[in-house]
Coordinates of all heavy atoms in Angstrom, one line a residue:
M22 N -4.3 10.6 -12.2 CA -3.8 9.2 -11.7 C -4.6 8.1 -12.6 O -5.8 8.1 -12.8 CB -4.4 9.1 -10.2 CG -3.9 7.7 -9.6 SD -4.5 7.7 -7.9 CE -3.0 7.0 -7.2
T23 N -3.8 7.2 -13.0 CA -4.4 6.1 -13.9 C -4.9 5.0 -12.9 O -4.4 4.7 -11.8 CB -3.3 5.5 -14.7 OG1 -2.0 5.4 -14.0 CG2 -3.1 6.3 -16.0
E24 N -5.9 4.4 -13.5 CA -6.6 3.3 -12.8 C -5.7 2.0 -12.8 O -5.1 1.8 -13.9 CB -7.9 3.0 -13.4 CG -8.7 2.1 -12.5 CD -10.2 2.0 -13.1 OE1 -10.7 3.0 -13.4 OE2 -10.7 0.9 -13.0
L25 N -5.5 1.4 -11.8 CA -4.8 0.1 -11.7 C -5.6 -1.0 -12.4 O -6.8 -1.1 -12.2 CB -4.5 -0.2 -10.3 CG -3.5 0.7 -9.5 CD1 -3.4 0.3 -8.0 CD2 -2.2 0.9 -10.1
S26 N -4.8 -1.9 -12.9 CA -5.5 -3.1 -13.4 C -5.9 -3.9 -12.3 O -5.5 -3.7 -11.1 CB -4.4 -4.0 -14.2 OG -3.4 -4.5 -13.3
P27 N -6.8 -4.8 -12.5 CA -7.3 -5.7 -11.3 C -6.2 -6.4 -10.5 O -6.2 -6.4 -9.4 CB -8.3 -6.6 -12.0 CG -8.8 -6.0 -13.1 CD -7.6 -5.2 -13.6
R28 N -5.2 -6.8 -11.3 CA -4.1 -7.6 -10.6 C -3.3 -6.6 -9.8 O -3.0 -6.9 -8.7 CB -3.2 -8.1 -11.7 CG -2.0 -8.9 -11.2 CD -1.2 -9.4 -12.3 NE -0.1 -10.3 -11.7 CZ 1.0 -10.7 -12.4 NH1 1.0 -10.2 -13.7 NH2 1.9 -11.4 -12.0
L29 N -2.9 -5.4 -10.3 CA -2.3 -4.5 -9.5 C -3.1 -3.8 -8.4 O -2.5 -3.6 -7.3 CB -1.8 -3.3 -10.4 CG -0.5 -3.6 -11.3 CD1 -0.2 -2.5 -12.2 CD2 0.6 -4.1 -10.5
A30 N -4.3 -3.7 -8.5 CA -5.2 -3.3 -7.5 C -5.2 -4.3 -6.4 O -5.2 -3.9 -5.1 CB -6.6 -3.0 -7.9
R31 N -5.2 -5.5 -6.7 CA -5.2 -6.6 -5.6 C -3.9 -6.6 -5.0 O -3.8 -6.8 -3.7 CB -5.4 -8.0 -6.3 CG -5.8 -9.1 -5.6 CD -6.3 -10.3 -6.3 NE -5.7 -10.6 -7.6 CZ -6.1 -10.3 -8.9 NH1 -7.3 -9.8 -9.0 NH2 -5.5 -10.6 -9.9
L32 N -2.7 -6.4 -5.6 CA -1.5 -6.3 -5.1 C -1.3 -5.1 -4.2 O -0.7 -5.2 -3.1 CB -0.4 -6.4 -6.1 CG -0.1 -7.7 -6.8 CD1 0.9 -7.5 -7.9 CD2 0.4 -8.8 -5.9
K33 N -1.8 -4.1 -4.6 CA -1.8 -2.8 -3.7 C -2.5 -3.1 -2.4 O -2.0 -2.7 -1.3 CB -2.4 -1.6 -4.4 CG -2.4 -0.4 -3.6 CD -3.1 0.8 -4.3 CE -3.1 2.0 -3.4 NZ -2.4 3.2 -4.0
F34 N -3.7 -3.7 -2.5 CA -4.5 -4.0 -1.3 C -3.7 -4.8 -0.3 O -3.5 -4.6 0.8 CB -5.8 -4.7 -1.6 CG -6.6 -4.9 -0.4 CD1 -7.5 -4.0 0.1 CD2 -6.5 -6.2 0.2 CE1 -8.2 -4.3 1.2 CE2 -7.2 -6.5 1.3 CZ -8.1 -5.6 1.9
R35 N -3.0 -6.0 -1.0 CA -2.3 -6.9 -0.1 C -1.0 -6.2 0.4 O -0.6 -6.5 1.5 CB -1.9 -8.1 -1.0 CG -3.2 -8.9 -1.4 CD -3.0 -10.2 -2.0 NE -2.2 -11.0 -1.1 CZ -1.3 -11.8 -1.5 NH1 -0.9 -11.8 -2.8 NH2 -0.6 -12.6 -0.7
A36 N -0.5 -5.4 -0.3 CA 0.8 -4.6 0.2 C 0.4 -3.7 1.3 O 1.3 -3.5 2.2 CB 1.4 -3.9 -1.0
W37 N -0.8 -3.2 1.3 CA -1.1 -2.3 2.4 C -1.9 -2.8 3.6 O -2.2 -2.2 4.6 CB -2.0 -1.0 1.9 CG -1.1 0.0 1.2 CD1 -0.8 0.3 0.0 CD2 -0.3 1.0 2.0 NE1 0.0 1.3 -0.1 CE2 0.3 1.8 1.1 CE3 -0.2 1.2 3.4 CZ2 1.2 2.8 1.5 CZ3 0.6 2.2 3.8 CH2 1.3 3.0 2.8
H38 N -2.1 -4.2 3.5 CA -3.0 -4.9 4.5 C -2.1 -6.1 5.0 O -2.6 -7.2 4.8 CB -4.3 -5.2 4.0 CG -5.2 -4.0 3.7 ND1 -5.1 -3.4 2.6 CD2 -6.1 -3.3 4.6 CE1 -5.9 -2.4 2.6 NE2 -6.5 -2.3 3.8
R39 N -1.0 -5.8 5.7 CA -0.1 -6.8 6.0 C -0.4 -7.4 7.4 O -0.1 -8.6 7.7 CB 1.4 -6.4 5.9 CG 1.7 -5.9 4.6 CD 1.6 -6.9 3.5 NE 2.4 -8.1 3.8 CZ 2.4 -9.2 3.1 NH1 1.6 -9.2 2.0 NH2 3.1 -10.2 3.3
G40 N -0.8 -6.6 8.3 CA -1.1 -7.1 9.7 C -0.4 -6.3 10.7 O -0.8 -6.3 11.9
T41 N 0.6 -5.5 10.3 CA 1.3 -4.6 11.3 C 1.5 -3.3 10.6 O 1.7 -3.3 9.3 CB 2.7 -5.1 11.8 OG1 3.6 -5.1 10.6 CG2 2.6 -6.5 12.5
R42 N 1.5 -2.2 11.2 CA 1.6 -0.9 10.7 C 3.0 -0.8 10.0 O 3.2 -0.2 8.9 CB 1.5 0.2 11.8 CG 1.5 1.6 11.1 CD 1.3 2.6 12.2 NE -0.2 2.5 12.5 CZ -0.8 3.3 13.4 NH1 -0.1 4.1 14.1 NH2 -2.0 3.1 13.6
E43 N 4.1 -1.3 10.6 CA 5.5 -1.3 10.1 C 5.4 -2.0 8.7 O 6.1 -1.4 7.8 CB 6.4 -1.9 11.1 CG 6.6 -1.1 12.4 CD 5.5 -1.5 13.4 OE1 4.6 -2.3 13.2 OE2 5.5 -0.9 14.5
A44 N 4.9 -3.1 8.6 CA 4.9 -3.8 7.4 C 4.2 -3.2 6.3 O 4.5 -3.1 5.2 CB 4.4 -5.2 7.6
D45 N 2.9 -2.6 6.8 CA 2.1 -1.9 5.7 C 2.9 -0.7 5.2 O 2.9 -0.6 4.0 CB 0.9 -1.3 6.5 CG -0.1 -2.2 6.9 OD1 0.0 -3.5 6.5 OD2 -1.0 -1.9 7.6
Y46 N 3.6 0.1 6.0 CA 4.3 1.1 5.5 C 5.5 0.8 4.6 O 5.8 1.3 3.5 CB 4.9 2.1 6.6 CG 3.8 2.9 7.2 CD1 3.7 2.9 8.6 CD2 2.9 3.6 6.5 CE1 2.7 3.7 9.2 CE2 2.0 4.4 7.0 CZ 1.8 4.4 8.4 OH 0.8 5.2 9.0
M47 N 6.2 -0.2 5.0 CA 7.4 -0.7 4.2 C 6.9 -1.3 2.9 O 7.5 -1.0 1.9 CB 8.2 -1.7 5.0 CG 9.5 -2.2 4.2 SD 10.4 -3.4 5.2 CE 11.2 -2.3 6.3
I48 N 6.0 -2.2 2.9 CA 5.6 -2.9 1.7 C 4.6 -2.1 0.8 O 4.8 -2.0 -0.4 CB 5.1 -4.2 2.1 CG1 6.1 -5.1 2.8 CG2 4.5 -5.0 0.8 CD1 5.7 -6.4 3.5
G49 N 3.7 -1.4 1.6 CA 2.8 -0.6 0.8 C 3.5 0.6 0.2 O 3.2 1.0 -1.0
C50 N 4.3 1.3 0.9 CA 4.9 2.5 0.3 C 5.8 2.0 -0.9 O 5.9 2.7 -1.9 CB 5.8 3.2 1.3 SG 4.8 4.1 2.5
F51 N 6.5 0.9 -0.7 CA 7.3 0.3 -1.8 C 6.4 0.1 -3.0 O 6.8 0.5 -4.1 CB 8.0 -0.9 -1.3 CG 9.0 -1.5 -2.3 CD1 10.2 -1.0 -2.5 CD2 8.6 -2.5 -3.2 CE1 11.1 -1.5 -3.5 CE2 9.5 -3.0 -4.1 CZ 10.7 -2.5 -4.3
F52 N 5.4 -0.6 -2.9 CA 4.4 -0.8 -4.0 C 4.1 0.6 -4.7 O 4.2 0.8 -5.8 CB 3.2 -1.5 -3.6 CG 2.2 -1.6 -4.7 CD1 2.2 -2.7 -5.6 CD2 1.2 -0.8 -4.9 CE1 1.4 -2.8 -6.7 CE2 0.3 -0.8 -6.0 CZ 0.4 -1.9 -6.8
D53 N 3.5 1.5 -3.8 CA 3.0 2.8 -4.3 C 4.2 3.5 -5.2 O 3.9 4.1 -6.2 CB 2.5 3.7 -3.2 CG 1.2 3.3 -2.6 OD1 0.6 2.4 -3.2 OD2 0.8 3.9 -1.6
R54 N 5.3 3.5 -4.6 CA 6.5 4.2 -5.2 C 7.0 3.6 -6.5 O 7.3 4.3 -7.5 CB 7.7 4.3 -4.3 CG 8.9 5.0 -4.9 CD 8.7 6.4 -5.4 NE 10.0 6.8 -6.0 CZ 10.3 6.6 -7.3 NH1 9.5 5.9 -8.0 NH2 11.5 7.0 -7.7
F55 N 6.9 2.3 -6.6 CA 7.6 1.7 -7.7 C 6.9 0.8 -8.7 O 7.3 0.5 -9.8 CB 8.8 0.8 -7.2 CG 9.8 1.6 -6.5 CD1 10.0 1.5 -5.1 CD2 10.7 2.4 -7.2 CE1 10.9 2.2 -4.4 CE2 11.6 3.2 -6.6 CZ 11.8 3.1 -5.2
H56 N 5.6 0.4 -8.4 CA 4.9 -0.5 -9.2 C 4.7 0.1 -10.7 O 4.7 -0.8 -11.6 CB 3.5 -0.8 -8.7 CG 2.5 0.3 -8.9 ND1 2.3 1.4 -8.0 CD2 1.6 0.5 -9.9 CE1 1.4 2.2 -8.5 NE2 0.9 1.7 -9.6
S57 N 4.7 1.3 -10.9 CA 4.4 1.8 -12.2 C 5.7 1.6 -13.1 O 5.6 1.7 -14.4 CB 4.1 3.3 -12.2 OG 5.2 4.0 -11.8
E58 N 6.8 1.2 -12.6 CA 8.0 1.0 -13.3 C 8.3 -0.5 -13.6 O 9.2 -0.8 -14.4 CB 9.3 1.6 -12.5 CG 9.2 3.0 -12.2 CD 10.2 3.5 -11.2 OE1 11.2 2.7 -10.9 OE2 10.1 4.6 -10.7
W59 N 7.5 -1.3 -12.9 CA 7.7 -2.7 -13.0 C 7.3 -3.4 -14.3 O 6.4 -3.1 -15.0 CB 7.0 -3.5 -11.8 CG 7.5 -3.2 -10.5 CD1 8.6 -2.6 -10.2 CD2 6.7 -3.4 -9.3 NE1 8.7 -2.5 -8.8 CE2 7.5 -3.0 -8.2 CE3 5.5 -4.0 -9.0 CZ2 7.2 -3.1 -6.9 CZ3 5.2 -4.0 -7.6 CH2 6.0 -3.6 -6.7
T60 N 8.1 -4.4 -14.8 CA 7.8 -5.2 -15.9 C 6.9 -6.4 -15.3 O 6.7 -6.5 -14.2 CB 9.1 -5.9 -16.4 OG1 9.7 -6.7 -15.4 CG2 10.1 -4.9 -16.8
E61 N 6.4 -7.2 -16.3 CA 5.6 -8.3 -15.9 C 6.3 -9.2 -15.0 O 5.8 -9.7 -14.0 CB 5.0 -9.1 -17.1 CG 3.9 -8.4 -17.7 CD 2.7 -8.3 -17.0 OE1 2.3 -9.4 -16.3 OE2 2.0 -7.3 -16.9
S62 N 7.6 -9.4 -15.2 CA 8.4 -10.3 -14.4 C 8.6 -9.7 -13.0 O 8.6 -10.5 -12.0 CB 9.7 -10.8 -15.1 OG 10.5 -9.7 -15.3
D63 N 8.7 -8.4 -12.9 CA 8.8 -7.7 -11.6 C 7.5 -7.9 -10.8 O 7.6 -8.2 -9.7 CB 9.1 -6.3 -11.8 CG 10.4 -5.9 -12.3 OD1 11.3 -6.7 -12.2 OD2 10.5 -4.9 -13.0
I64 N 6.4 -7.7 -11.5 CA 5.1 -7.9 -10.9 C 5.0 -9.4 -10.4 O 4.5 -9.6 -9.2 CB 4.0 -7.5 -11.8 CG1 4.0 -6.1 -12.1 CG2 2.5 -8.0 -11.2 CD1 3.1 -5.6 -13.2
D65 N 5.3 -10.3 -11.2 CA 5.3 -11.8 -10.8 C 6.1 -12.0 -9.6 O 5.8 -12.6 -8.6 CB 5.9 -12.7 -11.9 CG 5.0 -12.8 -13.0 OD1 3.8 -12.3 -13.0 OD2 5.5 -13.2 -14.1
L66 N 7.4 -11.4 -9.4 CA 8.3 -11.5 -8.3 C 7.6 -10.9 -7.1 O 7.7 -11.5 -6.0 CB 9.7 -10.9 -8.6 CG 10.6 -10.8 -7.5 CD1 11.0 -12.3 -7.1 CD2 11.9 -10.1 -7.9
F67 N 7.1 -9.7 -7.2 CA 6.5 -9.0 -6.0 C 5.3 -9.9 -5.6 O 5.1 -10.1 -4.4 CB 6.0 -7.7 -6.5 CG 5.5 -6.8 -5.3 CD1 6.3 -6.2 -4.4 CD2 4.1 -6.7 -5.1 CE1 5.9 -5.6 -3.2 CE2 3.6 -6.0 -4.0 CZ 4.5 -5.3 -3.2
E68 N 4.5 -10.4 -6.5 CA 3.4 -11.2 -6.1 C 3.8 -12.4 -5.3 O 3.2 -12.8 -4.4 CB 2.7 -11.6 -7.4 CG 1.3 -12.0 -7.2 CD 0.6 -12.0 -8.6 OE1 1.2 -12.5 -9.6 OE2 -0.6 -11.7 -8.7
R69 N 4.9 -13.1 -5.7 CA 5.4 -14.2 -5.1 C 6.1 -13.8 -3.6 O 5.7 -14.4 -2.6 CB 6.5 -14.9 -5.8 CG 6.0 -15.8 -6.9 CD 7.0 -16.7 -7.5 NE 8.3 -16.1 -7.8 CZ 8.6 -15.4 -9.0 NH1 7.7 -15.3 -9.8 NH2 9.8 -14.9 -9.1
M70 N 6.8 -12.6 -3.6 CA 7.4 -12.2 -2.4 C 6.4 -11.9 -1.4 O 6.6 -12.2 -0.2 CB 8.2 -11.0 -2.7 CG 9.1 -10.5 -1.5 SD 10.2 -9.1 -1.9 CE 8.9 -7.9 -2.2
I71 N 5.3 -11.2 -1.7 CA 4.4 -10.8 -0.6 C 3.6 -12.0 0.0 O 2.8 -11.9 0.9 CB 3.4 -9.7 -1.0 CG1 2.5 -10.0 -2.2 CG2 4.2 -8.4 -1.3 CD1 1.4 -8.9 -2.4
E72 N 3.8 -13.2 -0.6 CA 3.2 -14.4 0.0 C 4.1 -14.9 1.2 O 3.6 -15.7 2.0 CB 3.1 -15.6 -1.0 CG 2.1 -15.4 -2.1 CD 0.7 -15.3 -1.5 OE1 0.4 -16.1 -0.6 OE2 -0.1 -14.5 -2.1
E73 N 5.3 -14.3 1.3 CA 6.1 -14.6 2.5 C 5.7 -13.9 3.7 O 4.9 -13.0 3.7 CB 7.6 -14.2 2.1 CG 8.2 -14.9 0.8 CD 8.5 -16.3 1.0 OE1 8.5 -16.9 2.1 OE2 8.6 -17.0 -0.1
E74 N 6.2 -14.3 4.8 CA 5.9 -13.7 6.1 C 6.5 -12.3 6.2 O 7.6 -12.0 5.7 CB 6.5 -14.5 7.3 CG 6.0 -16.0 7.4 CD 4.5 -16.0 7.9 OE1 4.1 -15.0 8.6 OE2 3.8 -16.8 7.4
D75 N 5.7 -11.4 6.8 CA 6.1 -10.0 6.9 C 7.4 -9.8 7.6 O 8.3 -9.0 7.2 CB 5.0 -9.2 7.7 CG 3.7 -9.1 7.0 OD1 3.7 -9.3 5.7 OD2 2.8 -8.7 7.7
V76 N 7.7 -10.6 8.6 CA 8.9 -10.5 9.4 C 10.1 -10.9 8.5 O 11.1 -10.3 8.7 CB 9.0 -11.4 10.7 CG1 8.0 -10.8 11.7 CG2 8.6 -12.9 10.4
D77 N 9.9 -11.9 7.6 CA 11.0 -12.2 6.7 C 11.2 -11.1 5.7 O 12.4 -10.7 5.5 CB 10.7 -13.5 5.9 CG 10.7 -14.7 6.8 OD1 11.4 -14.7 7.9 OD2 9.9 -15.6 6.6
I78 N 10.1 -10.6 5.0 CA 10.3 -9.5 4.1 C 11.0 -8.3 4.7 O 11.9 -7.6 4.1 CB 8.9 -9.1 3.5 CG1 8.3 -10.2 2.7 CG2 9.2 -7.9 2.6 CD1 6.9 -10.0 2.3
M79 N 10.5 -7.9 5.9 CA 11.2 -6.8 6.7 C 12.6 -7.1 7.0 O 13.4 -6.2 6.8 CB 10.4 -6.4 7.9 CG 9.0 -5.9 7.5 SD 7.9 -5.7 8.9 CE 8.7 -4.3 9.7
A80 N 13.0 -8.2 7.4 CA 14.3 -8.6 7.7 C 15.2 -8.5 6.5 O 16.3 -8.1 6.6 CB 14.4 -10.0 8.3
W81 N 14.7 -9.0 5.4 CA 15.5 -8.9 4.1 C 15.8 -7.4 3.8 O 16.9 -7.1 3.5 CB 14.7 -9.6 2.9 CG 14.4 -11.0 3.2 CD1 15.2 -11.9 4.0 CD2 13.3 -11.7 2.5 NE1 14.5 -13.1 3.8 CE2 13.4 -13.0 3.0 CE3 12.4 -11.4 1.7 CZ2 12.5 -14.0 2.7 CZ3 11.4 -12.3 1.3 CH2 11.5 -13.6 1.8
A82 N 14.7 -6.6 3.9 CA 14.9 -5.2 3.6 C 15.8 -4.5 4.5 O 16.5 -3.5 4.2 CB 13.5 -4.5 3.5
L83 N 15.8 -4.9 5.8 CA 16.7 -4.2 6.8 C 18.0 -4.9 6.9 O 18.9 -4.3 7.6 CB 16.0 -4.4 8.2 CG 14.7 -3.6 8.4 CD1 14.0 -4.0 9.7 CD2 14.9 -2.1 8.3
G84 N 18.3 -6.0 6.2 CA 19.6 -6.6 6.1 C 19.9 -7.4 7.3 O 21.0 -7.7 7.5
T85 N 18.9 -7.8 8.0 CA 19.2 -8.6 9.3 C 18.9 -10.0 9.1 O 19.2 -10.9 9.9 CB 18.2 -8.1 10.4 OG1 16.8 -8.3 10.0 CG2 18.5 -6.7 10.7
Q86 N 18.5 -10.4 7.8 CA 18.4 -11.8 7.5 C 18.8 -12.0 6.0 O 18.5 -11.2 5.2 CB 16.9 -12.2 7.6 CG 16.5 -13.7 7.4 CD 15.1 -14.0 7.7 OE1 14.6 -13.6 8.7 NE2 14.4 -14.6 6.8
S87 N 19.4 -13.1 5.7 CA 19.8 -13.5 4.4 C 18.6 -13.6 3.4 O 17.6 -14.2 3.8 CB 20.6 -14.7 4.4 OG 21.0 -15.1 3.1
I88 N 18.8 -12.9 2.3 CA 17.7 -13.0 1.2 C 17.8 -14.3 0.5 O 18.9 -14.5 0.0 CB 17.9 -11.8 0.2 CG1 17.8 -10.5 1.0 CG2 16.8 -11.9 -0.8 CD1 18.2 -9.2 0.2
P89 N 16.7 -15.0 0.4 CA 16.7 -16.3 -0.4 C 17.0 -16.0 -1.9 O 16.7 -14.9 -2.4 CB 15.3 -16.7 -0.3 CG 14.6 -16.1 0.9 CD 15.4 -14.7 1.0
E90 N 17.7 -16.9 -2.5 CA 18.2 -16.8 -3.8 C 17.1 -16.3 -4.8 O 17.3 -15.4 -5.7 CB 18.8 -18.1 -4.3 CG 19.4 -18.0 -5.7 CD 20.7 -17.2 -5.7 OE1 21.4 -17.2 -4.7 OE2 20.8 -16.5 -6.7
E91 N 16.0 -16.8 -4.7 CA 14.8 -16.4 -5.6 C 14.4 -15.0 -5.6 O 13.8 -14.5 -6.5 CB 13.6 -17.3 -5.4 CG 12.9 -17.2 -4.1 CD 11.8 -18.1 -3.8 OE1 10.7 -18.1 -4.6 OE2 12.0 -19.0 -3.0
Y92 N 14.7 -14.3 -4.4 CA 14.4 -12.9 -4.3 C 15.5 -12.0 -4.4 O 15.3 -10.7 -4.4 CB 13.7 -12.6 -2.9 CG 12.4 -13.5 -2.8 CD1 12.3 -14.4 -1.7 CD2 11.4 -13.3 -3.7 CE1 11.1 -15.1 -1.6 CE2 10.3 -14.1 -3.7 CZ 10.1 -15.0 -2.5 OH 9.0 -15.8 -2.5
R93 N 16.7 -12.4 -4.6 CA 17.9 -11.6 -4.6 C 17.9 -10.9 -6.0 O 17.5 -11.5 -7.1 CB 19.2 -12.3 -4.6 CG 19.5 -12.9 -3.2 CD 20.8 -13.6 -3.1 NE 20.8 -14.3 -1.8 CZ 21.6 -15.3 -1.5 NH1 22.4 -15.7 -2.5 NH2 21.6 -15.8 -0.4
G94 N 18.2 -9.6 -6.0 CA 18.3 -8.9 -7.2 C 17.8 -7.4 -7.1 O 17.7 -6.9 -5.9
P95 N 17.5 -6.7 -8.2 CA 17.2 -5.3 -8.2 C 16.0 -4.9 -7.3 O 16.1 -3.9 -6.6 CB 16.9 -5.0 -9.6 CG 17.6 -6.0 -10.4 CD 17.6 -7.3 -9.6
M96 N 15.1 -5.7 -7.3 CA 13.9 -5.3 -6.4 C 14.2 -5.3 -4.9 O 13.9 -4.3 -4.3 CB 12.7 -6.3 -6.7 CG 11.4 -5.8 -5.9 SD 9.9 -6.8 -6.2 CE 9.5 -6.3 -7.9
L97 N 14.8 -6.3 -4.4 CA 15.2 -6.3 -3.0 C 16.3 -5.3 -2.7 O 16.3 -4.6 -1.7 CB 15.5 -7.7 -2.5 CG 14.5 -8.4 -1.7 CD1 14.2 -7.6 -0.3 CD2 13.2 -8.7 -2.3
D98 N 17.1 -5.1 -3.7 CA 18.2 -4.1 -3.5 C 17.6 -2.7 -3.4 O 18.0 -1.9 -2.5 CB 19.2 -4.0 -4.7 CG 20.0 -5.4 -4.8 OD1 20.2 -6.0 -3.8 OD2 20.6 -5.4 -5.9
R99 N 16.6 -2.5 -4.1 CA 15.9 -1.2 -4.1 C 15.2 -1.1 -2.7 O 15.1 0.0 -2.2 CB 14.9 -1.0 -5.2 CG 14.3 0.3 -5.3 CD 15.3 1.5 -5.5 NE 14.8 2.7 -5.4 CZ 14.8 3.4 -4.3 NH1 15.3 2.9 -3.1 NH2 14.3 4.7 -4.2
M100 N 14.5 -2.1 -2.3 CA 13.7 -2.1 -1.1 C 14.6 -1.9 0.1 O 14.2 -1.3 1.1 CB 12.9 -3.4 -0.9 CG 12.0 -3.5 0.2 SD 11.1 -5.1 0.5 CE 9.6 -4.6 -0.4
M101 N 15.9 -2.3 0.1 CA 16.8 -2.1 1.1 C 17.1 -0.7 1.4 O 17.6 -0.3 2.4 CB 18.0 -3.0 0.9 CG 17.8 -4.4 1.1 SD 19.2 -5.5 0.8 CE 20.1 -5.3 2.3
K102 N 17.0 0.2 0.4 CA 17.3 1.6 0.6 C 16.4 2.3 1.5 O 16.7 3.3 2.1 CB 17.3 2.3 -0.7 CG 18.4 1.8 -1.7 CD 18.5 2.5 -3.0 CE 19.6 1.9 -3.8 NZ 20.1 2.7 -4.8
L103 N 15.1 1.8 1.6 CA 14.1 2.3 2.6 C 13.9 3.9 2.5 O 13.2 4.4 3.4 CB 14.5 2.0 4.1 CG 14.6 0.5 4.4 CD1 15.2 0.3 5.8 CD2 13.3 -0.1 4.2
D104 N 14.2 4.4 1.4 CA 14.0 5.9 1.2 C 12.6 6.2 0.7 O 12.2 7.3 0.5 CB 15.0 6.5 0.4 CG 15.1 5.9 -1.0 OD1 14.5 4.9 -1.3 OD2 15.9 6.4 -1.9
Y105 N 11.8 5.2 0.5 CA 10.4 5.3 -0.1 C 9.4 5.3 1.0 O 8.2 5.6 0.7 CB 10.2 4.2 -1.1 CG 10.4 2.9 -0.5 CD1 9.5 2.2 0.3 CD2 11.7 2.2 -0.5 CE1 9.7 1.0 1.0 CE2 11.9 1.0 0.1 CZ 11.0 0.4 0.9 OH 11.2 -0.8 1.6
V106 N 9.7 5.0 2.2 CA 8.8 4.9 3.3 C 8.4 6.2 3.7 O 9.2 7.1 4.2 CB 9.3 4.0 4.4 CG1 8.3 4.0 5.6 CG2 9.7 2.7 4.0
E107 N 7.0 6.6 3.6 CA 6.4 7.8 4.2 C 5.5 7.5 5.3 O 4.5 6.9 5.2 CB 5.7 8.5 3.0 CG 6.6 8.9 1.9 CD 5.8 9.6 0.8 OE1 4.8 10.1 1.0 OE2 6.3 9.6 -0.3
I108 N 5.9 8.0 6.4 CA 5.1 7.7 7.7 C 4.4 9.0 8.0 O 4.9 10.0 8.2 CB 6.0 7.2 8.8 CG1 6.7 5.9 8.5 CG2 5.1 7.1 10.1 CD1 7.7 5.5 9.4
P109 N 3.0 8.9 8.0 CA 2.2 10.1 8.3 C 2.5 10.6 9.7 O 2.6 9.7 10.6 CB 0.8 9.7 8.1 CG 0.8 8.3 7.8 CD 2.3 7.8 7.7
R110 N 2.6 11.8 9.9 CA 2.8 12.4 11.3 C 1.5 13.1 11.8 O 1.0 13.9 11.0 CB 3.9 13.3 11.3 CG 5.2 12.8 10.6 CD 6.2 12.4 11.5 NE 7.4 12.1 10.9 CZ 7.9 10.9 10.9 NH1 7.3 9.9 11.6 NH2 9.1 10.6 10.3
D111 N 1.0 12.7 12.8 CA -0.3 13.3 13.4 C 0.1 14.5 14.2 O 1.0 14.6 14.9 CB -1.2 12.3 14.1 CG -1.7 11.3 13.2 OD1 -1.6 11.4 11.9 OD2 -2.1 10.2 13.7

């Protein structure tokens, strides 16, 4: 496993510490699965997006709320598939 840059390590922490377990899994698992494929502009977009409210990000991913123009595109299209979420079973 490669070590994350300080910027990506900070984003990973923020992706996994959202405030609700549901948001942690949706946003954290998304980061874990895809960050290694991102370009600098993808990282910039994710960094801006996670400043938004969890309920909004989740609503965009679930298709229950219209996605703002600035976030429309391949990243949110991919997030909407929800096939990256891994929920541990106890």
Side-chain angles (χ1 to χ4, degrees):
M22 176 181 230
T23 41
E24 190 172 320
L25 296 176
S26 71
R28 182 182 185 196
L29 286 175
R31 199 168 35 255
L32 286 175
K33 179 179 178 126
F34 181 86
R35 295 188 61 223
W37 276 104
H38 295 86
R39 303 302 301 175
T41 66
R42 183 173 292 179
E43 295 82 2
D45 289 350
Y46 287 132
M47 182 180 284
I48 299 165
C50 288
F51 184 79
F52 175 89
D53 285 354
R54 171 62 184 85
F55 297 107
H56 78 274
S57 64
E58 303 169 10
W59 292 344
T60 64
E61 280 297 313
S62 61
D63 292 332
I64 295 168
D65 291 343
L66 177 63
F67 186 78
E68 202 166 37
R69 286 191 312 274
M70 185 179 68
I71 64 171
E72 290 297 322
E73 302 290 343
E74 295 292 326
D75 293 347
V76 293
D77 293 329
I78 297 169
M79 293 174 70
W81 303 332
L83 295 170
T85 59
Q86 184 175 310
S87 177
I88 300 169
E90 185 65 37
E91 67 185 291
Y92 299 122
R93 289 184 193 158
M96 184 175 289
L97 256 297
D98 291 346
R99 185 64 190 94
M100 188 178 265
M101 291 177 78
K102 294 185 182 198
L103 298 174
D104 59 353
Y105 53 85
V106 178
E107 295 180 22
I108 299 173
R110 311 258 187 243
D111 292 344

